[in-house]
Amino acid sequence: MSRAGSTPEQRAAYNDALRAALKAGYKVLSQGGEAMDATVAAVTVMEMSQSQQNELEASLMLSKPPASHPAIPVSRRGVGMTLLTHVRNPSALARALYLSPDLLPHPFISGATAETLAESLGQQLVDESYFYTKKRWVEHRRGLNLPDEPFPYPDPDDDENEKGGFPLLDLMPTGTVGAVALDIRGCVAALTSTGSGFWAEEWPSAAGWVQKTWSKIWGLPASHALGVSGTGDGDYFIRCATAATIAHRVKFLGESLEKAAEYAVEELRVNGGIGGVIALDSMGNVTMPLNCPGMYRGVIREDGVPLTAIFDDDVLE
């Protein structure tokens, strides 16, 4: 993406979509809801938005099971799906499957089996044409250096949105939508529309009895948690274990969330991968480093004010 090739109207449209997603997640959290449900609310807005690419995958991971579902085993950290072609909102299905360990004891599922389970859980299935928009088709084809045509479906909104709408901002077929949320119970959840570049984990803040005693005296948290959602070259996120690397550098090296995330994103670049992450910990620290010209990103805190940015040198506003 390029700032030089964008317009104020175009940037405003993308920022509005980000703010809508942030507000959807905030609404859940402000009412005492679960981090898991907040990420689903935020990602669902982005899945439904033409300003973002709808990926028919989804992965959900939690630092600990949601308090509203005490029957979920502590060992159940998350669930992922791929090769979906008819599920209207993969993020909602990820939540439903995570909360159904008897139905799906495995951490990963794909294709027709996933969609059969989706139907049994009451998830809406749609025709494949539902996911088509001309803008995203053109973006994807140009990113692969392929011609725009032939189009796979008649364009349902050619007259209004496509001819009068804003031009594409990014032309690389690597877009992922995702969200990370922290709730009042200290649970961190990460939901991402892909099978790579995500992580959530919780661990004790103090290891030995002396450290635990001092932590109790000083009223320090008994545990520390964080979550990460990434976007970019998925192959490199897998090779570098980018999201998990961030968590482990904080956990084992005692690095700050910001330092660990910057290291991991730079490691991506050194190895030939572009991308960025959004990361959040249980202390409320947020960082969103990137190694490319731009990444749609934003944050909303307790004051309910959504702050967004697009390009690498943007200030959140």
Side-chain angles (χ1 to χ4, degrees), residues 63-286:
S63 63
K64 59 183 178 182
S68 57
H69 295 78
I72 299 295
V74 176
S75 60
R76 190 166 177 80
R77 297 277 303 284
V79 65
M81 308 159 301
T82 190
L83 300 178
L84 305 178
T85 57
H86 299 282
V87 177
R88 184 183 184 189
N89 292 114
S91 60
L93 177 58
R95 177 190 183 276
L97 289 174
Y98 172 80
L99 295 176
S100 305
D102 293 336
L103 186 63
L104 180 68
H106 312 293
F108 195 77
I109 191 170
S110 68
T113 302
E115 298 197 323
T116 298
L117 292 180
E119 191 169 20
S120 72
L121 290 169
Q123 296 293 308
Q124 184 177 1
L125 303 183
V126 295
D127 186 80
E128 293 180 28
S129 61
Y130 169 84
F131 302 106
Y132 170 77
T133 68
K134 186 176 180 181
K135 287 179 181 177
R136 283 307 184 184
W137 171 264
V138 170
E139 175 190 59
H140 181 72
R141 298 283 290 185
R142 291 179 184 176
L144 296 175
N145 293 318
L146 296 174
D148 296 351
E149 298 181 359
F151 298 115
Y153 302 102
D155 189 8
D157 48 12
D158 184 68
D159 291 336
E160 180 178 354
N161 292 334
E162 300 301 336
K163 291 181 179 178
F166 54 86
L168 294 171
L169 188 59
D170 54 326
L171 299 177
M172 291 294 290
T174 55
T176 299
V177 295
V180 186
L182 166 66
D183 63 34
I184 59 175
R185 288 160 293 274
C187 179
V188 179
L191 178 61
T192 307
S193 67
T194 185
S196 60
F198 66 97
W199 193 260
E201 185 176 357
E202 178 180 281
W203 61 87
S205 296
W209 69 270
V210 174
Q211 291 92 336
K212 291 180 181 178
T213 300
W214 276 112
S215 294
K216 185 177 294 186
I217 292 174
W218 289 102
L220 300 177
S223 62
H224 190 84
L226 62 76
V228 180
S229 179
T231 182
D233 290 331
D235 288 352
Y236 291 91
F237 274 84
I238 294 173
R239 294 175 196 176
C240 299
T242 300
T245 293
I246 295 171
H248 294 162
R249 292 186 72 88
V250 173
K251 180 178 180 179
F252 298 118
L253 298 181
E255 291 184 347
S256 67
L257 181 67
E258 181 179 13
K259 183 177 180 180
E262 288 179 349
Y263 173 91
V265 170
E266 174 62 12
E267 183 182 41
L268 272 179
R269 187 195 65 78
V270 170
N271 282 275
I274 65 168
V277 302
I278 54 174
L280 166 69
D281 69 15
S282 53
M283 302 298 290
N285 297 307
V286 176

Side-chain angles (χ1 to χ4, degrees), residues 261 265 276-279 286-290 295-299 307 309 316:
V265 170
V277 302
I278 54 174
V286 176
T287 187
M288 297 180 284
L290 59 153
M295 177 180 75
Y296 307 115
R297 59 200 185 276
V299 61
L307 303 174
L316 288 168

